[in-house]
Amino acid sequence: MKHPKGKYAWTAKIGEKGQIVIPKEARELFGFKPGDTLLLLGDEAQGIAIVKNDMFTELANKVFGPPGKEETE
């Protein structure tokens, strides 16, 4: 199936324990490895986004500064 460049769609089933399996192609494309921590962001109107936790940590560090760096007044 053809798709616009950089746009993808996959399906996943939710198991009895509420778990999903991320398709192999998606794991490879985004570099998900066993043991990675993922962050799920939810919006009732738009759905769920799944990102690697380290991507969120990197963004938070840019906004708030690295951990341990205390602000002086």
Side-chain angles (χ1 to χ4, degrees):
M1 177 169 91
K2 294 202 95 164
H3 53 81
K5 185 176 174 98
K7 306 292 182 182
Y8 302 89
W10 298 281
T11 62
K13 290 185 179 182
I14 300 175
E16 291 180 24
K17 295 181 180 180
Q19 298 170 318
I20 62 170
V21 174
I22 299 172
K24 181 181 179 186
E25 184 180 88
R27 293 191 316 264
E28 290 175 347
L29 180 67
F30 294 104
F32 296 159
K33 303 275 188 256
D36 283 349
T37 298
L38 303 178
L39 177 67
L40 282 72
L41 303 171
D43 181 298
E44 289 183 3
Q46 296 185 43
I48 296 175
I50 302 172
V51 296
K52 287 179 84 170
N53 190 51
D54 58 349
M55 292 176 69
F56 180 76
T57 301
E58 182 179 324
L59 174 63
N61 285 341
K62 287 180 181 178
V63 173
F64 300 113
K69 183 180 178 184
E70 296 187 23
E71 186 176 313
T72 56
E73 293 185 28

